[in-house]
Amino acid sequence: MEKWYLMAIVVLLGLTVRWTVSLNSYSGAGKPPMFGDYEAQRHWQEITFNLPVKQWYFNSSDNNLQYWGLDYPPLTAYHSLLCAYVAKFINPDWIALHSSRGYESQAHKLFMRTTVLIADLLIYIPAVVLYCCCLKEISTKKKIAHALCILLYPGLILIDYGHFQNIYNSVSLGFALWGVLGVSCDWDLLGSLAFCLAINYKQMELYHSLPFFCFLLGKCFKKGLKGKGFVLLIKLACTVVASFILCWLPFFTEREQTQQVLRRLFPVDRGLFEDKVANIWCSFSIFLKIKDILPHHIQIIISFCFTFLSLLPACIKLILQPSPKGFRFTLVSCALSFFLFSFQVHEKSILLVSLPVCLVLSEIPFMSTWFLLVSTFSMLPLLLKDELLMPSVVTTMAFFIACAISFSIFEKTSEEELQLKSFSISVRKYLPCFTFFPRIIKYLFLISVITMALLTLTTITLEPPQKLPDLFSVLICFVSCLNFLFFLVYFNIIIMWDSKNGRNQKKIN
């Protein structure tokens, strides 16, 4: 009883922080003609309510795709329609066709904030609480602390409630987390259904698709493809196909409908990257302007090859040795590979890497906390643009203090606690003096944190040179990218040198 009482307090604290951050201004407020990302979600409610389904993704006099055209999968559109019905009941002016463009009022802001909070309460927060309660081999106190740290993660709070991107990242991430819970607890069909809902809500959930596929395929192989494994494979295939058909049914009536939706979901014409994102292509464009040098189709091929090759070893290992632990770490590795190397990455896509890192927080608290701090820092230019400096500092400090106290992160830096024991033993076969790896990690952490702090102070106190107006933004991206490359190597080392997957799987099951 006490456990649930404490968990309720943690949830209430998480909701309070979210609501407090949402009271700030939002992206694009009072800035015509586009009015920012807040207006995008309101406009989608307007379009889905007033136009027939067949016109949602097509350009027309009533649906100008250049003005926040719908570019997310059908489940997002259905969610917008549901919100529109509620908005119509409260105030029809909020979703009136054409005349509601740029609509801003205190009542409408309250409505939009409430829809995000309700989505969190219904999907994301229950998944976090249940995941933490299902953790094995840690105390009740640690489970509650884990839930607290996940719910205080500043990146998601600042984007969904501060920046008010309002694409409801917590919905797709919540569905993905329900999927992780399902397949980790051998509820494979339910887990597959939940993950299909995540993909059909936000196409960027494809970042997590290969680990799900490889983990489930590995389970089928393990059961034997001539027996129970084959039956499971057929059931999984039917679940995936059926869920996609149900979500896409209105758009399967005509071939052109399906093609137009896909064109909207994957706009490859936008280029290799947009804005200042902390991935390889943007960060290293300082030295080599790939976008200007190589043809468009070559850029797509190169990004695909880099992404595929960087995630291949972890995926093969997961198929051959499927385990919940390996699955969680492969989710991190694959999502990070997609973020660093894939085509058309947005800076907010780092949230797709942060979710699985949150899941391993109790296993490697020091490294997970470090990564989550860097992930929030990487979005600093976006957060400063929306005047979210103070909420960013406060939420980041609260998160860091919660992690430091709950997990004693600075005491968890031995080879065993960093999960680098097997790797260090392998290295010492050739370099016997290699005994200082934890010390190197600590020094790198200090350098990373000091660099992030100095860059933050520089960005908010100094004006960049007139000839280099994006200097500080580019430096933030470059420093964050270097950190992410280090983490990609680190997580792959854990995956490839983990020899205890079999034993861990028995313990968890």
Side-chain angles (χ1 to χ4, degrees), residues 3 7 129-147 150 328 358-365 406-407 412 507-508:
K3 177 178 79 170
M7 194 67 83
V129 171
L130 186 58
Y131 174 83
C132 293
C133 289
C134 290
L135 289 171
K136 304 294 182 182
E137 298 185 351
I138 64 172
S139 65
T140 299
K141 182 181 175 182
K142 291 294 184 186
K143 292 177 182 180
I144 294 169
H146 196 156
I150 295 177
R328 290 191 296 273
C358 285
L359 302 186
V360 299
L361 191 55
S362 59
E363 297 176 64
I364 45 168
S406 301
F407 295 104
K412 302 291 179 68
K507 289 178 183 177
I508 290 171

Side-chain angles (χ1 to χ4, degrees), residues 413-441 490 493-494 496-498:
T413 55
S414 66
E415 289 180 350
E416 292 86 350
E417 286 158 329
L418 293 173
Q419 302 207 13
L420 294 171
K421 185 70 173 178
S422 299
F423 174 71
S424 298
I425 291 171
S426 299
V427 173
R428 279 197 286 270
K429 290 178 181 178
Y430 306 98
L431 296 171
C433 60
F434 190 78
T435 57
F436 45 83
F437 203 54
R439 206 179 314 152
I440 293 174
I441 296 289
Y490 169 76
I493 286 173
I494 290 181
M496 302 311 294
W497 266 267
D498 180 27

